Amino acid sequence: MAFREGQQVHKHVVQSGHGSSPFVQTSLLNFYAKCEEIELSEKVFDEIPERNVVAWSAMISGYSRLGMANQALDSFREMQKAGISPDRVTLVSAISACAISGALDLGKWLHAYIDKKGIENDLELNTALVNMYAKCGCVEKAKEVFEAMPVKDVKAWGSMIYGLAINGLAEDALNAFSRMGETKAEPNHVTLVGVLMACAHSGLVHEGKKYWSSMIESGIEPSLEHYGLMVDLFCRSNLIEDAYSFVESMPIPQNPAILRSLLVACKKKKILDRGEVTAKHLIELEPQNAENYTLLSSLYASVSDWERMREVRKQMKDRDIKTVPGCSSIEVDGFVHEFVMGDWSHPEAEELKGILSEISDRVRGSGHEPWVSGVLHDTSDEEKEHALCEHSERLAIAYGLLRTEVPTVIRVVKNLRVCRDCHEVTKIISRLYNREIIVRDRVRFHKFIDGACSCRDFW
Ligand code: ZN
Ligand code: ZN
């Protein structure tokens, strides 16, 4: 139903005096959520006097589908406080929200709840659990749930293959894919994303090309994500020219996300000419996207061309380009704490500052030189270093060190790419503090153990 017609129905229902029926209200709530008009859903929800599990579920799944994980989890907690027990639908949505925000503790609690209450753990619920465990970096647990599933459909296989791939377990992902081939489940978009990601991660160029051809032959139309992964495969294998020819041969219009992958590769390999052309093209396509400028300026920084780096920064200022503030979250004791760069409004800010400076001292003591050229110009080196130390993921990691004990794994979710210095420092922290740290950034998963990262320093 179209949004406008739905609204008409809403009006009619209110006028006819049926507006207060919980059934009608829940249907409206659902309708608005599906139209991505979540504020209207909230309004309807607030007006329901007696909210039953169906109404709560509709609200929670509305949030969850739109990626508003924290709101979904908050509603879930409120529902519990109101004494309403979750049903299967609520559980699937809540578990999906845990996957998005990396809330592993709550996810585990939900899993235990399902077992304890004897709720029928069907295909959908199990698949949600596999997905949640994998996205929280708990891949062993994901495998355990998956292997115990009596029936596995293509969605379940997809969650497992994708989950293995994002966790850097390329070989396992490809093995799972070939196991799937022995069943009735036909590969789809998601399974192929997992497969291509696994190939990209391990530099399996030959295999990647093979899977690509078979995908085309089987009639699956490649999506942007598949194209992006092929580009990633070439770039990670240092085949920059192949990456460029692949992009030129693509039958779709030039896409900024894919061009950015090329630019990242040029930056990594210090290929100035190609990189510059790509960056300028990107800036033409998306003149207001700060990331394009930031990448170009770090391309210049990578070849120590400070003059041109400053020019880009100036251009950003002149054009009033706003950068998206970095935001990282970590779950401690079942609550998700969010940290934004330079924001000290957290109630435990003082203790956080204490541990941050202790971390800085220890990291510095280990011989780390901050990569300050990647940050602001016209500030002193000391200030630059300070700016790096306040990057949101550092605050979240510090909070994790403050509030959890060894051997708890620190799991952080970040909205942007991890910067080079934070990546280095997190490796060092994982070694100095003997902690496994998992950072899921906008592009990929980083699993830091004993001074090394699962991305093999390519991201
Ligand atoms: Zn950083
Ligand atoms: Zn990494």
Side-chain angles (χ1 to χ4, degrees):
M1 198 191 319
F3 175 58
R4 213 169 271 282
E5 289 162 47
Q7 265 193 324
Q8 293 280 321
V9 173
H10 189 176
K11 245 187 225 159
H12 179 75
V13 162
V14 172
Q15 279 160 2
S16 66
H18 293 291
S20 57
S21 138
F23 175 74
V24 171
Q25 283 171 314
T26 305
S27 310
L28 277 167
L29 189 172
N30 247 328
F31 165 74
Y32 284 130
K34 281 182 185 148
C35 293
E36 304 195 0
E37 294 286 344
I38 202 76
E39 281 167 19
L40 292 174
S41 293
E42 286 167 344
K43 214 170 148 247
V44 175
F45 182 73
D46 288 340
E47 284 165 7
I48 303 179
E50 300 265 325
R51 295 166 195 149
N52 60 10
V53 64
V54 182
W56 280 102
S57 284
M59 199 62 240
I60 296 167
S61 71
Y63 284 130
S64 189
R65 266 200 309 268
L66 291 177
M68 300 166 76
N70 287 343
Q71 286 87 336
L73 297 179
D74 285 347
S75 293
F76 181 76
R77 288 190 195 95
E78 264 182 63
M79 178 182 109
Q80 282 185 297
K81 269 192 221 148
I84 310 274
S85 306
D87 65 3
R88 272 194 55 263
V89 183
T90 338
L91 289 166
V92 169
S93 302
I95 292 167
S96 309
C98 291
I100 300 168
S101 72
L104 178 63
D105 285 347
L106 183 56
K108 277 185 182 162
W109 185 89
L110 291 166
H111 189 182
Y113 181 92
I114 294 167
D115 291 346
K116 201 175 79 192
K117 297 279 173 181
I119 295 169
E120 191 207 342
N121 209 341
D122 62 4
L123 199 55
E124 196 185 4
L125 210 43
N126 268 323
T127 303
L129 285 170
V130 170
N131 178 49
M132 183 274 295
Y133 280 122
K135 286 198 177 148
C136 289
C138 217
V139 73
E140 285 309 316
K141 202 70 196 152
K143 277 195 215 169
E144 200 185 300
V145 175
F146 179 75
E147 294 304 341
M149 286 171 75
V151 188
K152 304 173 176 78
D153 67 353
V154 66
K155 271 195 174 165
W157 280 105
S159 291
M160 191 68 252
I161 294 168
Y162 182 78
L164 291 164
I166 52 173
N167 280 284
L169 298 168
E171 209 178 303
D172 290 358
L174 296 178
N175 283 338
F177 185 67
S178 75
R179 271 176 66 200
M180 184 185 110
E182 293 157 15
T183 71
K184 276 189 208 139
E186 288 286 325
N188 67 4
H189 274 84
V190 181
T191 49
L192 278 150
V193 165
V195 165
L196 293 177
M197 190 185 284
C199 294
H201 212 100
S202 304
L204 300 170
V205 180
H206 177 72
E207 286 81 354
K209 284 180 172 171
K210 198 184 77 193
Y211 288 120
W212 178 263
S213 316
S214 70
M215 170 172 137
I216 307 284
E217 276 162 27
S218 66
I220 298 174
E221 200 179 316
S223 70
L224 206 51
E225 210 172 353
H226 299 115
Y227 284 117
L229 285 164
M230 283 306 280
V231 174
D232 197 32
L233 167 67
F234 290 124
C235 290
R236 280 179 159 247
S237 313
N238 292 327
L239 301 167
I240 312 288
E241 285 309 312
D242 289 305
Y244 271 94
S245 8
F246 183 81
V247 170
E248 277 152 25
S249 73
M250 282 171 9
I252 54 167
Q254 295 273 353
N255 175 271
I258 288 180
L259 292 176
R260 264 191 293 280
S261 305
L262 293 175
L263 180 52
V264 168
C266 290
K267 184 189 79 173
K268 191 103 193 148
K269 303 303 295 174
K270 304 185 180 183
I271 306 172
L272 187 60
D273 45 355
R274 277 272 201 198
E276 233 178 352
V277 172
T278 306
K280 292 196 169 148
H281 187 179
L282 263 169
I283 291 174
E284 267 169 40
L285 285 174
E286 291 181 334
Q288 291 302 316
N289 186 342
E291 199 178 356
N292 299 334
Y293 297 86
T294 314
L295 283 174
L296 177 57
S297 96
S298 53
L299 170 72
Y300 289 134
S302 75
V303 293
S304 308
D305 189 340
W306 312 123
E307 187 55 42
R308 275 196 262 184
M309 186 184 100
R310 269 190 289 274
E311 270 171 37
V312 179
R313 294 280 158 95
K314 188 176 171 301
Q315 206 177 27
M316 274 182 92
K317 222 175 174 176
D318 293 346
R319 295 185 184 177
D320 197 24
I321 310 290
K322 299 265 183 296
T323 51
V324 178
C327 175
S328 298
S329 58
I330 179 170
E331 184 201 35
V332 174
D333 294 334
F335 279 91
V336 178
H337 299 255
E338 261 185 7
F339 297 92
V340 176
M341 180 176 166
D343 173 19
W344 294 104
S345 60
H346 194 274
E348 290 155 281
E350 282 314 309
E351 285 150 288
L352 196 58
K353 281 181 185 167
I355 189 154
L356 272 169
S357 86
E358 181 209 301
I359 295 171
S360 274
D361 291 346
R362 285 186 66 177
V363 168
R364 190 171 261 280
S366 78
H368 172 67
E369 285 287 333
W371 196 67
V372 287
S373 56
V375 254
L376 317 153
H377 61 297
D378 61 28
T379 40
S380 69
D381 272 3
E382 206 174 303
E383 280 175 79
K384 284 177 190 167
E385 194 189 335
H386 199 70
L388 284 172
C389 291
E390 289 192 5
H391 279 183
S392 64
E393 63 268 51
R394 302 239 196 142
L395 306 186
I397 291 168
Y399 191 73
L401 289 173
L402 188 67
R403 287 285 165 249
T404 66
E405 304 282 336
V406 179
T408 309
V409 177
I410 295 178
R411 298 165 202 276
V412 171
V413 178
K414 185 180 186 193
N415 65 336
L416 304 173
R417 263 176 222 270
V418 173
C419 86
R420 175 170 152 178
D421 194 63
C422 288
H423 197 265
E424 277 309 303
V425 167
T426 310
K427 287 201 282 190
I428 299 168
I429 294 173
S430 74
R431 177 168 51 80
L432 292 177
Y433 288 81
N434 194 20
R435 282 291 189 111
E436 183 176 332
I437 302 172
I438 299 176
V439 179
R440 190 172 94 198
D441 74 6
R442 200 171 58 76
V443 189
R444 68 184 76 253
F445 251 77
H446 301 270
K447 192 181 249 181
F448 300 91
I449 301 173
D450 197 23
C453 181
S454 63
C455 77
R456 304 176 197 183
D457 293 336
F458 197 109
W459 74 96

